[in-house]
Amino acid sequence: MAKIGRNTPCPCGSGKKYKKCCLGKGAPLTGVPTLAVVPRSPSAAPSADAPSRELPLPPHTLARAFEKSEHYQRMKRHHPQRAAHYCTPGTLARQSTEQLIAHFAKLGVDASRERYLRDAEHESSAWAIGEQWRASIEHTLSPYWQDFVTLGACELWNRYLPERPSVERLDEWMEDGYERLWGGDCVGACDRWLEVWAHLRPRLRPEMRTVEATASVFTAGEPVYNWIQDLVLELTNAAQDDPRYAEHGRQLCHAVLAQFPDEGGLFRINFRADLGEFLYLLGEDEAGEQMLRELIRDYPESAAGYARLAEVLGYGPTRARGSLDVSRAIELLEAALARPVEDAQEYDLQARLRELREHAQYHNDSAMPPTSHDTERATKAADS
């Protein structure tokens, strides 16, 4: 396969630069991923200071994934009677509230709005309410009706409390964001994920000083550690054409850095670098450079600050603005390699430097005034 430049269009067809899309994920994607009952890949390779992400999927995530699976879809097409033995989120969503309440009443559960609001007053998980109801039922339930109680509780939350989404609803929105992204709608993914963040942020308590600590208030099919980095990446992509997303990105980075002071070094380094880039995207070049220079000062042995500032200077924060100062970008990478920084290979600094030099040479050649030979040749061409 031919070498892919960091700043060339990604071969997956997303329209983004390779560095902002599939770089760091292994082989470039050639199509839209299909939904699978496994956590999605993070935007970048996991770092040594990142906590383990091998967590079991929540049951509500598994239920949605099963309903969307090819196995269940084939069953519905070829064995509809067998498929009817499974209670799924979609089947309950198609029932009226009155029908759901009536089914619960037959099981001995009061699922009225008044009762539900009392149970949900100090709760954020609809599934937890369903488990409480299931435990209160005296007789043994079949698998279908066991699933009905928990999934039905989730569906009723969506109807009774739409202004305060449950954990399960936020997980569904997070998944919807990924599906929009896989469908090529970066802006739509950002909009959906910003909704998730707007509802999640107020639930984070001061003592939750690492991302892993958020599991006590929110669990989803994608770990928050991965998702929040995917969000900041897609905000930089969306901000290429709309500065509003750069402002969202700035606010997100400030909030994340303030909320998670005990998170691992690389996580915080990346978010500080992201904040510097968002400042550039907002046209605040001086503040952006100061942020990235401070990152280099605080972590002189890390390549992150050098690499990110060199990217912005060498290629520009947006396609429209173009290069800011290629010479200074080259000097930054030369300084990082001369030090040398500890993770030069991980950041591929040699390749970055080589590409920047080629980039500078191309622009120098393009800017050179025409020679007398060039002028004579152009004149002859015009006469002919």
Side-chain angles (χ1 to χ4, degrees):
M1 179 181 291
K3 179 180 178 294
I4 304 170
R6 298 174 57 79
N7 291 278
T8 58
C10 188
C12 77
S14 66
K16 306 169 191 172
K17 292 181 180 180
Y18 181 48
K19 69 181 181 183
K20 292 291 187 183
C21 195
C22 291
L23 179 62
K25 297 182 183 178
L29 298 174
T30 56
V32 178
T34 56
L35 181 67
V37 191
V38 293
R40 302 174 184 83
S41 299
S43 293
S47 64
D49 62 354
S52 172
R53 307 298 163 208
E54 296 300 323
L55 301 174
L57 290 175
H60 48 86
T61 306
L62 287 170
R64 290 197 309 274
F66 170 75
E67 185 172 29
K68 294 180 180 180
S69 69
E70 181 58 31
H71 171 75
Y72 180 69
Q73 296 304 317
R74 283 198 306 267
M75 190 188 305
K76 286 176 63 178
R77 289 193 298 269
H78 304 298
H79 306 284
Q81 290 182 332
R82 187 188 305 172
H85 286 87
Y86 291 90
C87 184
T88 65
T91 59
L92 298 187
R94 289 188 289 273
Q95 295 187 31
S96 68
T97 303
E98 291 72 21
Q99 287 175 313
L100 293 175
I101 292 175
H103 288 313
F104 273 113
K106 291 179 180 178
L107 299 175
V109 174
D110 177 8
S112 65
R113 178 183 178 85
E114 293 72 24
R115 161 71 186 278
Y116 198 102
L117 295 181
R118 288 198 303 272
D119 288 351
E121 184 176 1
H122 301 293
E123 186 58 76
S124 61
S125 169
W127 192 274
I129 292 176
E131 288 185 327
Q132 295 169 18
W133 287 357
R134 194 162 63 185
S136 70
I137 297 174
E138 297 180 357
H139 53 280
T140 303
L141 298 176
S142 68
Y144 178 95
W145 290 107
Q146 289 181 40
D147 291 339
F148 171 86
V149 175
T150 46
L151 292 175
C154 292
E155 181 59 32
L156 286 176
W157 186 302
N158 297 340
R159 303 181 188 194
Y160 290 153
L161 290 164
E163 74 286 351
R164 180 163 69 92
S166 65
V167 167
E168 296 75 23
R169 189 64 159 175
L170 294 182
D171 180 30
E172 186 178 350
W173 288 355
M174 184 183 289
E175 182 180 289
D176 178 55
Y178 277 105
E179 291 179 352
R180 294 183 186 195
L181 182 62
W182 291 338
D185 185 6
C186 164
V187 170
C190 288
D191 290 341
R192 179 58 92 187
W193 286 345
L194 287 170
E195 285 186 84
V196 175
W197 177 247
H199 288 284
L200 177 59
R201 172 121 189 256
R203 304 180 190 187
L204 304 182
R205 300 187 296 273
E207 63 269 21
M208 297 176 182
R209 296 170 63 87
T210 65
V211 182
E212 195 169 20
T214 65
S216 62
V217 295
F218 182 65
T219 55
E222 181 68 27
V224 172
Y225 188 95
N226 294 345
W227 165 73
I228 203 166
Q229 294 181 81
D230 289 339
L231 172 55
V232 78
L233 172 63
E234 297 309 326
L235 285 172
T236 61
N237 286 323
Q240 290 288 318
D241 300 311
D242 190 339
R244 291 179 303 166
Y245 292 98
E247 181 57 38
H248 285 305
R250 168 164 49 185
Q251 294 177 17
L252 174 67
C253 289
H254 278 303
V256 168
L257 289 168
Q259 179 69 50
F260 305 121
D262 294 345
E263 195 52 73
L266 184 56
F267 179 90
R268 293 186 62 79
I269 287 172
N270 285 335
F271 269 90
R272 286 178 62 180
D274 291 328
L275 179 54
E277 186 170 352
F278 282 124
L279 290 169
Y280 269 106
L281 287 165
L282 287 165
E284 300 176 23
D285 293 12
E286 185 176 343
E289 179 162 351
Q290 180 180 347
M291 175 63 62
L292 292 168
R293 291 285 183 185
E294 289 175 356
L295 187 60
I296 294 172
R297 179 200 66 197
D298 295 343
Y299 298 92
E301 305 305 322
S302 170
Y306 303 92
R308 296 291 286 276
L309 182 53
E311 285 279 347
V312 175
L313 292 175
Y315 300 101
T318 66
R319 293 180 290 270
R321 292 182 65 188
S323 300
L324 302 180
D325 194 329
V326 183
S327 298
R328 282 207 296 144
I330 291 174
E331 290 172 3
L332 275 167
L333 296 187
E334 289 175 339
L337 288 165
R339 192 172 185 94
V341 295
E342 297 171 348
D343 49 356
Q345 187 172 354
E346 286 84 344
Y347 278 84
D348 211 5
L349 291 192
Q350 289 284 5
R352 289 173 184 260
L353 180 57
R354 181 174 61 254
E355 290 179 6
L356 268 174
R357 286 171 174 164
E358 293 171 355
H359 181 60
Q361 185 61 47
Y362 171 78
H363 283 276
N364 287 339
D365 291 345
S366 300
M368 288 178 63
T371 64
S372 59
H373 178 70
D374 292 331
T375 303
E376 181 181 352
R377 185 168 54 187
T379 301
K380 289 180 179 179
D383 292 342
S384 63

